[in-house]
Amino acid sequence: MAMKRLLLLLKPFDVYPVSQSDGLARITNPQELQILHYLDNRRKVHKDAINFCQNILRHKPVEWKSIVRNNLSQPIRDVDLVVTVGGDGTLLQGSHFIDDSVPVLGVNSDPTQPEEVENLSNEIDANRSTGYLCGATVNNFEQVLDNILEDRAIPSKLTRISVSVNSQPLSTYALNDILIAHPCPAALSRFSFKIKGDDQPCAPLAHSRSSGLRVSTAAGSTAAMLSAGGFPMPILSQDLQYMVREPISPGVASSLMHGLIKSHQSMEATWFCKKGVIYVDGSHVSYTIKNGDAIDISSKAPILKVFLPQHLQNISEET
């Protein structure tokens, strides 16, 4: 087996408060104390998962190094595999630095425990990490890794979103979704849009006063898009789903407020507010826009190779 090069991309520890014994001693509110203990447990579980993965790698025929995701600043190159340890957020953040040549395996370091959620439902929200795109946990990491190293596993090709503003491509491709909105959530977003295919309009121009526009990939269709009333898409679909958020009196254009951008199509939008922001895969990556900016959205972006969890692999094979 040839030596492979691997990058271990880590969710940081400091996303959870670190409970110090002297600090906890000063807390008298039982609920607050319970929350701090719960959060500190999450930190420890995550740290243990990192140590576990590193110990596994020490016994494999790989050259590897680790980096905390917040320290990423350059494209990831010269590796054969990226392993993210955290949740979907870590995989999403890492994807912004990965092209279509490097596959990714996500390890969910802190999966939600249904019994814990039920037992604590009257006290705190005990949901942990969803890890929808993560193909492994500590329970099966070594087995999944061995399958990858021995070429017994094939990554899935996930569609991403390409965005251009005034014909200038944004440097980041979205794996989950983009949100175009006014920077103030209470402010109105004004824009118009149309779907085009082969440089010909496929739908009439729609004008919108709303809370913004969300566009998701198939991978992101089960996240915010689904929560807003959208529908889940086959994970390997190359289409995009869009939805105008809370449209005000759309009238005859109501049927245009939610739909698909097919793989051979694009959406052209024009922004009509003094301020605006394009958010890519959440709030960490954003680009400002202004009145009159022309925005082009399509799936004509490099795919991302991801080793998906088994249940998503089964679904993709059936569709």
Side-chain angles (χ1 to χ4, degrees):
M1 186 190 308
M3 181 74 73
K4 292 185 181 291
R5 300 159 300 174
L6 187 150
L7 178 67
L8 198 63
L9 184 62
L10 310 176
K11 176 182 179 178
F13 300 135
D14 57 7
V15 293
Y16 306 121
V18 180
S19 59
Q20 303 292 336
S21 57
D22 57 341
L24 289 175
R26 293 195 298 267
I27 297 175
T28 58
N29 185 309
Q31 186 175 17
E32 184 179 356
L33 190 62
Q34 181 184 37
I35 293 173
L36 288 177
H37 277 304
Y38 165 74
L39 292 175
D40 194 49
N41 173 260
R42 293 200 62 180
R43 180 188 63 83
K44 291 176 180 177
V45 169
H46 174 58
K47 186 175 182 179
D48 288 345
I50 291 175
N51 291 335
F52 179 86
C53 292
Q54 290 176 331
N55 287 333
I56 293 294
L57 291 176
R58 292 187 181 102
H59 296 89
K60 300 297 177 183
V62 295
E63 296 177 358
W64 65 277
K65 61 181 180 180
S66 62
I67 183 173
V68 176
R69 71 186 188 193
N70 295 351
N71 295 333
L72 272 181
S73 60
Q74 299 296 324
I76 297 174
R77 297 193 177 97
D78 300 323
V79 298
D80 300 301
L81 175 67
V82 174
V83 175
T84 65
V85 183
D88 286 328
T90 303
L91 195 153
L92 287 171
Q93 190 166 342
S95 74
H96 299 159
F97 297 88
I98 303 172
D99 63 17
D100 55 2
S101 66
V102 181
V104 185
L105 169 66
V107 180
N108 187 352
S109 64
D110 187 25
T112 292
Q113 308 296 327
E115 289 186 4
E116 180 183 52
V117 174
E118 182 178 356
N119 292 337
L120 297 177
S121 61
N122 292 327
E123 295 148 9
I124 62 173
D125 178 5
N127 282 286
R128 295 181 180 240
S129 174
T130 301
Y132 179 71
L133 297 176
C134 293
T137 66
V138 294
N139 295 327
N140 66 346
F141 172 63
E142 184 170 17
Q143 177 185 355
V144 173
L145 180 65
D146 285 344
N147 287 338
I148 294 172
L149 296 179
E150 296 171 13
D151 296 323
R152 295 195 302 262
I154 300 175
S156 299
K157 298 178 180 180
L158 300 187
T159 294
R160 292 194 276 190
I161 303 173
S162 173
V163 182
S164 296
V165 178
N166 300 326
S167 301
Q168 296 299 312
L170 301 187
S171 59
T172 307
Y173 301 113
L175 178 59
N176 243 22
D177 56 25
I178 63 167
L179 172 64
I180 307 175
H182 193 283
C184 174
L188 193 69
S189 294
R190 292 176 180 266
F191 56 93
S192 62
F193 66 91
K194 60 184 174 182
I195 307 297
K196 293 185 65 178
D198 299 324
D199 294 326
Q200 297 296 322
C202 299
L205 181 68
H207 304 286
S208 171
R209 296 179 301 150
S210 65
S211 297
L213 172 70
R214 187 182 302 279
V215 182
S216 83
T217 62
S221 65
T222 60
M225 181 63 75
L226 183 62
S227 298
F231 52 85
M233 302 166 64
I235 190 71
L236 299 184
S237 173
Q238 298 177 27
D239 298 338
L240 305 178
Q241 185 177 171
Y242 74 89
M243 179 182 290
V244 176
R245 303 167 73 216
E246 303 167 337
I248 298 174
S249 304
V252 294
S254 59
S255 63
L256 303 176
M257 297 294 105
H258 179 210
L260 291 175
I261 306 171
K262 294 291 189 176
S263 59
H264 64 281
Q265 298 175 335
S266 64
M267 172 183 282
E268 291 186 356
T270 305
W271 188 251
F272 292 121
C273 291
K274 184 177 180 180
K275 296 180 180 180
V277 182
I278 301 175
Y279 298 96
V280 180
D281 287 335
S283 61
H284 296 295
V285 179
S286 61
Y287 300 86
T288 59
I289 52 176
K290 62 184 184 304
N291 183 35
D293 279 348
I295 306 162
D296 185 85
I297 304 163
S298 75
S299 59
K300 297 176 178 62
I303 56 93
L304 185 72
K305 297 178 181 177
V306 181
F307 291 98
L308 295 173
Q310 189 61 51
H311 71 278
L312 286 182
Q313 293 181 41
N314 295 339
I315 292 173
S316 64
E317 291 172 358
E318 295 170 359
T319 55

